[in-house]
Structure formats: structure tokens, C-alpha cells
Amino acid sequence: MTFKQTYETIISSEDFKNFKKEFSDAEFCAGFFITDFFGNDNKKSIDFKVNDKIFTFSINELGKIKMFEDELIKNEKFPQLEKVSPDLKFDLDEIEGIAKTKALDNGISAKFSKIISVLQKYEGKQVWNLTCMLEGLIILHIIIDAETGNIIKFERKSIMDLIRKK
């Protein structure tokens, strides 16, 4: 299911319509998706901000929508969540292809195991912030402009690097 399909499914649900009646000033602030290529750990959720609270709407594998409420983290390490537009030129399926092509361009031919994709604001732009886990303990951090499809950041790491730092 693409971002657009997920977003449309959630905002047309009765759960969301009831939420909007109570919180008409809620702002869409993030999308969170996990694509698991070898297992069944796929996740699809959309976040809305209301004052100091975050409301997450997720869709499970059976198509059931659940809402969770949480407090916003206020910390200098975490930038404030900004309003995000649901109108995108590049959706999940397209950014996956961009990430895989960029990996190949950088000599990385390992298979992708999982991609964690976050739609958010980054330095004033709406982006897809990807953490890609590949075979061979390779981790890629890729930031893709959601409007142009251009890669803003590409970084390769090894899980062993992260273990050594601890």
C-alpha cells in the first residue's frame, strides 16, 4: 500500500472523522512506514499533531485502523514536528527504486531486507528519510526530496560500526 492509499484510507475512516470533529486543528506532521522484504513486519502509520500531543493512526495487515495518543518529545536533539503536505510527487514505491538505484551506483549490490521510511520536514523541505537494512550488516541512511526525487543525503554504515561505538 502506497503512502497516498494509506493516507486516503485513514482520512476517510470513521475513526479519523470522529477525531477531526474533536480536534479540527490537527495537523498532518509525519508518515511512518516499514517495508519488510523477507518477513511480515510491515507497518503503515500517519501522525497528526495537536498542541503537545501526537495522534498516530495505523493500519494493520487486516486493514483495521487503530489510533494511539502520545506526548510530543520536546528535546534539543529532536527537531519540532512541522506540518507536512499529503500531496507528493514521489511515493513509497518510487523512493524504494531510487534508494536501490543509488545503492547500486555506489557499488552496493546486497539485497535490501527492510526499509524504514519517514515522511517529514528536513531543513525546510518535505523529504523521505530512509533507513535501509541490507544483507551483510549494511545500513544505508538516505534522504530523498519528496518533490523532486533528488537525493539530499546518502550514507553507508555497518551495524558493526554502531556496535563498536557503544
Side-chain angles (χ1 to χ4, degrees), residues 120 122 126-130 141-145 149-155:
Q120 65 185 109
Y122 172 79
Q126 189 158 301
V127 301
W128 284 104
N129 188 342
L130 309 180
H141 181 216
I142 306 170
I143 298 178
I144 301 172
D145 187 311
N150 293 332
I151 294 178
I152 297 170
K153 179 178 181 179
F154 180 88
E155 184 177 35

Side-chain angles (χ1 to χ4, degrees), residues 14-68:
E14 284 303 312
D15 290 334
F16 185 78
K17 289 176 183 174
N18 291 334
F19 165 78
K20 279 299 273 186
K21 284 179 188 172
E22 186 175 348
F23 300 104
S24 60
D25 58 339
E27 292 183 339
F28 170 48
C29 63
F32 179 83
F33 300 84
I34 297 177
T35 305
D36 187 348
F37 297 101
F38 296 114
N40 195 20
D41 188 26
N42 297 302
K43 299 211 182 330
K44 301 173 275 297
S45 66
I46 306 290
D47 295 339
F48 291 84
K49 181 174 80 165
V50 179
N51 300 321
D52 289 344
K53 297 210 181 278
I54 191 87
F55 295 86
T56 300
F57 289 83
S58 63
I59 303 176
N60 68 17
E61 294 301 319
L62 301 173
K64 177 101 172 107
I65 296 172
K66 291 191 177 188
M67 183 187 80
F68 304 93

